[in-house]
Amino acid sequence: MSTEDPVRLLALRGTPLSVDEVQRAVADEAAGGTVLFVGTVRDHDGHPEGAAVTALEYSAHPTAEAELRRVAEDVVAEYPGCAVAATHRVGALAVGDLAVVVAVSAAHRGEAYAASRRLIDDLKRRVPIWKHQRFADGGEEWVGAGERRPAGSAPVA
């Protein structure tokens, strides 16, 4: 793999994400495999009554980008030779919008799959990004940083 920084792209953005940009960021002639994960806004979530999602907004703590970098650095330390990239949306999103895009390239597919799984799982668990969902039945909830919160209990930063 290339000798350049293995953490190729990290960003929180209020504008639409690009799968092509994230894939290009990890492109490497020595990579035999590239794994992409694209998370999209779906029309439902874990609401108990199964109500449709009508609105969704992501917010991030000011330390979110620094924590995202720590997550990425932990992944490349555990999987040497991988290159990683991750972008996440903030702000209001619609059903079908891209919420998160991560990519990992590696010499072999096994490492690319394992590192990609670790990258998205740790991003969702550790990076202080919260999703505020509103449902068709009038309910709402906050989800993020590894937990769900009922309506009215906004995340504590």
Side-chain angles (χ1 to χ4, degrees), residues 72-132:
E73 289 171 349
D74 288 350
V75 170
V76 298
E78 183 174 343
Y79 298 94
C82 288
V84 303
T87 58
H88 201 296
R89 278 288 301 270
V90 293
L93 282 76
V95 171
D97 285 348
L98 304 185
V100 61
V101 181
V102 302
V104 174
S105 64
H108 302 284
R109 72 179 177 272
E111 290 86 8
Y113 274 113
S116 175
R117 180 65 182 253
R118 167 99 189 265
L119 180 59
I120 189 61
D121 287 351
D122 284 2
L123 184 161
K124 297 301 277 183
R125 190 178 79 253
R126 291 175 41 192
V127 179
I129 298 172
W130 296 279
K131 176 172 58 174
H132 185 199

Side-chain angles (χ1 to χ4, degrees), residues 135-152:
F135 300 99
D137 67 358
E140 60 183 72
E141 72 178 349
W142 287 90
V143 181
E147 61 182 87
R148 288 188 181 275
R149 295 174 180 269

Side-chain angles (χ1 to χ4, degrees), residues 2-155:
S2 170
T3 57
E4 71 180 280
D5 186 354
V7 178
R8 306 276 177 85
L9 170 66
L10 300 173
L12 301 180
R13 295 193 175 141
T15 57
L17 303 181
S18 166
V19 172
D20 290 339
E21 175 194 26
V22 176
Q23 184 176 10
R24 279 192 309 271
V26 299
D28 192 309
E29 290 182 358
T34 300
V35 174
L36 282 162
F37 173 80
V38 179
T40 56
V41 176
R42 60 184 174 252
D43 65 358
H44 67 284
D45 201 357
H47 191 58
E49 291 79 38
V53 172
T54 59
L56 182 145
E57 186 170 349
Y58 283 100
S59 59
H61 190 272
T63 63
E65 284 193 7
E67 186 60 26
L68 178 56
R69 175 153 293 278
R70 283 189 286 278
V71 165
E73 289 171 349
D74 288 350
V75 170
V76 298
E78 183 174 343
Y79 298 94
C82 288
V84 303
T87 58
H88 201 296
R89 278 288 301 270
V90 293
L93 282 76
V95 171
D97 285 348
L98 304 185
V100 61
V101 181
V102 302
V104 174
S105 64
H108 302 284
R109 72 179 177 272
E111 290 86 8
Y113 274 113
S116 175
R117 180 65 182 253
R118 167 99 189 265
L119 180 59
I120 189 61
D121 287 351
D122 284 2
L123 184 161
K124 297 301 277 183
R125 190 178 79 253
R126 291 175 41 192
V127 179
I129 298 172
W130 296 279
K131 176 172 58 174
H132 185 199
Q133 301 183 112
R134 291 184 178 88
F135 300 99
D137 67 358
E140 60 183 72
E141 72 178 349
W142 287 90
V143 181
E147 61 182 87
R148 288 188 181 275
R149 295 174 180 269
S153 61

